[in-house]
């Protein structure tokens, strides 16, 4: 047993003994609780204008650009007419929404950083309805903003001007599940957490997991190629998505909904739509290969005195935990301070510059515990790790995970957040945070780093009391140039959306961007699908 062989003490505040243990290192030397991410969408105060002013939310019709680059102008799309409304009301009775209160929620992104001024929300239930909507919009040159759970972090999920919002929220049926292959096929509007709950009842899990699971939808996940907390183990959606059904801009239904693991008949067209952020088609159904539910899950929350030691711990972890390692995540002490200050979470261990969340998932509890124990003994003995705690019971596992998952939420209470999602060689990841701190001096309230170490993905977040153009000018393009110098990606997993579209050149050569434009032109010649997103202006 982990506890006996380590001589570990029991954690007081986290409850029942058999599940969560405190590790004491000889190198240097406490625990606690939390809950889950609340739905951010239910918290908008009344009165959009008052709300905008209070929070400094950007109104796009002001014609300025959050990123400080060129002004954005409404493209010459048609405006929704009475006749259009009649068409949609006949097609979607009771699901053609013009109520400003409902629209307000759909016009503002999760971070409450951008908002559009759409006056029409459509809620189709079937692929055929989506097809009829898009055929009509294409003929009428009406712009459309596909929207899932509206948890996207780059301003891609909300209209910029008056684009019609096409919400997949009512497309939430599971179409089939094969218990032998583990392949689930469902409509695009299924909420990730609901899919997880359904699968767990059948002894399977979803191959992806993220902090927004309670609100985000599988269609949105695929459209953003979301990475999340399990990518290290189960790979990206580019591997686990087996089939897609997509409705093209002109209403054509493209049925690529196969359940085959191997299919080399021509180009793999579904890959075009994965990560295309609603600019090439509306994803209406998805089939995904799901892993079996692990019988044993352990989570270790560890403290490290330096980023170098954190990397050495990762190296050791991969070697010693091997096939049972399912996540290796980190947050820095600045994140922990925000969790303590804004969410009243308590650090379960002694204060450290860095914190690691390691998850193991396997089929044999004894075997996994032995492996984890050997690994922990090794990293403690070699002083790579100074303190830690381990959980195996579900509630405690969730409690430890929420320390990492709720950093995003804590940041929203720290003022205006400038958010960067960078891929870098592992050795350079934290150097960007340190260089940014030095570069910004006292211009920012906080500069924090966290993310998916196992995937080489840093989340660099910078907060300030309110929106600050001078601060922004100090961050950008510095952050993008820094990233390009190390041959990183300026968007590891969140996409480009509205906020990052004009910085694509820092990560992609002109020829690649030109080819992307050609593909956009072929699939959506009138550019009605999610305009102003993903591709740079003047494309
Ligand atoms: P939305 O936000 O509604 O839309 C996102 C984009 O996809 C938009 O461009 C939209 O137009 C398009 N889109 C949505 N549905 C469709 C569709 N059916 N067809 C075509 N286009 C569509 N991301 C990660 O990668 N990893 C994380 O760990 C992670 N954690 C997060 C934690 C929190 C707390 C939050 C708020 C967000 C997090 N995200 C993370 C961001 C992530 O991209 C989204 O949460 C999720 O993938 C988007 O799904 P959604 O249904 O909310 O899509
Ligand atoms: C995460 O890993 O927590 C998400 O990508 C959200 C974020 O970057 O804040
Ligand atoms: Zn992330």
């Amino acid at each position: 047993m982990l506890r006996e062989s380590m001589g570990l003490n029991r954690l007081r505040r986290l409850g029942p003994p058999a599940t969560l243990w405190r590790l004491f290192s000889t190198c240097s030397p406490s625990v606690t609780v939390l809950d889950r991410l609340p739905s951010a969408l239910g918290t908008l105060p009344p009165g959009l204008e008052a709300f905008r002013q209070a929070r400094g939310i950007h109104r796009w019709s002001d014609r300025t650009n959050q990123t400080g680059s060129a002004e954005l102008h409404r493209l010459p799309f048609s405006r929704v007419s009475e006749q259009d409304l009649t068409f949609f009301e006949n097609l979607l009775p009771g699901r053609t929404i013009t109520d400003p209160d409902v629209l307000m929620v759909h016009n503002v992104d999760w971070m409450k950083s951008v908002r559009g001024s759409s006056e029409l929300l459509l809620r189709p239930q079937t692929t055929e309805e989506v097809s009829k909507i898009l055929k009509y919009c294409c003929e009428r040159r009406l712009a459309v903003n596909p929207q899932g759970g509206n948890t996207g972090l780059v301003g891609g999920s909300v209209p910029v001007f008056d684009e019609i919002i096409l919400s997949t929220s009512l497309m939430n049926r599971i179409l089939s599940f094969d218990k032998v292959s583990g392949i689930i096929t469902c409509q695009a509007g299924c909420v990730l957490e609901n899919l997880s709950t359904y699968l767990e009842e059948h002894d399977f899990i979803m191959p992806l997991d993220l902090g927004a699971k309670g609100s985000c939808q599988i269609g949105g996940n695929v459209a953003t190629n979301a990475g999340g907390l399990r990518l290290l183990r189960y790979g990206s959606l580019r591997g686990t998505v087996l089939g897609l059904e997509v409705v093209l801009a002109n209403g054509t239904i493209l049925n690529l909904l196969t359940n085959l693991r191997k299919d080399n008949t021509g180009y793999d067209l579904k890959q075009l739509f994965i990560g295309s952020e609603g600019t090439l088609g509306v994803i209406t159904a998805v089939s995904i290969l799901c892993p079996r539910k692990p019988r044993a899950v352990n989570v270790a929350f560890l403290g490290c005195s330096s980023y170098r030691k954190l990397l050495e711990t990762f190296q050791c972890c991969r070697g010693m935990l091997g096939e049972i390692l399912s996540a290796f995540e980190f947050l820095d002490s600045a994140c922990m301070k925000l969790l303590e200050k804004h969410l009243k979470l308590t650090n379960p261990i002694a204060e450290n510059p860095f914190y690691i969340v390691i998850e193991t998932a396997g089929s044999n509890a004894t075997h996994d515990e032995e492996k984890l124990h050997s690994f922990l003994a090794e990293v403690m003995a070699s002083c790579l790790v100074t303190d830690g705690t381990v959980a195996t019971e579900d509630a405690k596992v969730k409690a430890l995970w929420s320390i990492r998952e709720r950093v995003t939420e804590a940041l929203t209470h720290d003022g205006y957040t400038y958010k960067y999602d960078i891929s870098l060689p592992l050795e350079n990841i934290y150097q960007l945070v340190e260089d940014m701190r030095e570069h910004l001096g006292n211009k920012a309230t906080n500069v924090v780093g966290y993310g998916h170490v196992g995937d080489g993905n840093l989340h660099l977040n910078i907060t300030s009391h309110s929106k600050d153009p001078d601060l922004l000018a100090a961050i950008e393009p510095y952050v993008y140039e820094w990233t390009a110098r190390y041959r990183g990606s300026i968007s590891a997993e969140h996409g480009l959306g509205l906020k990052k579209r004009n910085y694509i050149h820092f990560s992609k050569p002109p020829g690649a961007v030109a080819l992307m434009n050609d593909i956009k032109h072929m699939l959506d010649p009138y550019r009605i699908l999610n305009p102003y997103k993903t591709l740079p202006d003047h494309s």
Side-chain angles (χ1 to χ4, degrees), residues 505-524:
H505 296 106
F506 286 96
S507 294
K508 288 285 183 320
V513 178
L515 190 53
M516 289 184 203
N517 261 308
D518 291 346
I519 293 168
K520 169 74 176 173
H521 187 71
M522 186 180 69
L523 291 177
D524 180 15

Side-chain angles (χ1 to χ4, degrees), residues 79-209:
R79 294 186 189 271
V80 176
S81 67
E82 283 302 319
Q83 247 179 330
D84 298 329
L85 272 186
T86 308
F87 172 84
F88 291 125
E89 273 158 4
N90 286 334
L91 179 66
L92 308 170
R95 293 179 281 126
T96 297
I97 316 293
T98 54
D99 177 345
D101 289 342
V102 179
L103 275 155
M104 185 177 77
V105 175
H106 292 265
N107 267 310
V108 181
D109 70 328
W110 187 89
M111 288 178 69
K112 302 181 176 69
S113 63
V114 290
R115 79 154 161 105
S117 46
S118 176
E119 293 176 348
L120 182 59
L121 166 69
L122 302 177
R123 288 180 157 153
Q125 286 175 322
T126 65
T127 302
E128 289 66 33
E129 286 176 349
V130 174
S131 166
K132 286 178 183 156
I133 293 169
L134 290 188
K135 183 171 186 299
Y136 183 86
C137 288
C138 188
E139 285 165 3
R140 278 276 297 124
R141 309 288 194 268
L142 288 163
V144 178
N145 183 160
Q147 190 177 84
N150 194 11
T151 66
L153 298 172
V154 288
S157 55
V158 291
V160 175
F161 296 100
D162 57 346
E163 300 87 273
I164 296 171
I165 302 171
L166 191 161
S167 165
T168 48
S169 292
L170 298 182
M171 302 183 70
N172 55 8
R173 280 184 303 122
I174 290 172
L175 304 174
S176 66
F177 175 61
D178 180 338
K179 289 176 195 160
V180 179
S181 63
I183 298 168
I184 191 166
T185 304
C186 63
Q187 285 188 295
C190 289
V191 171
L192 180 60
E193 193 164 52
N194 295 345
L195 290 174
S196 296
T197 304
Y198 172 89
L199 284 166
E200 285 196 23
E201 283 160 12
H202 294 85
D203 233 7
F204 281 80
I205 58 169
M206 285 296 281
L208 82 158
D209 183 24

Side-chain angles (χ1 to χ4, degrees), residues 418-422 458-460 472 475-476 479-480 500:
Y418 295 95
K419 220 169 199 352
Y420 300 91
D421 163 38
I422 311 284
L458 166 74
H459 294 311
L460 164 70
L472 181 61
I475 302 171
E476 298 179 8
V479 63
Y480 299 127
K500 312 281 167 76

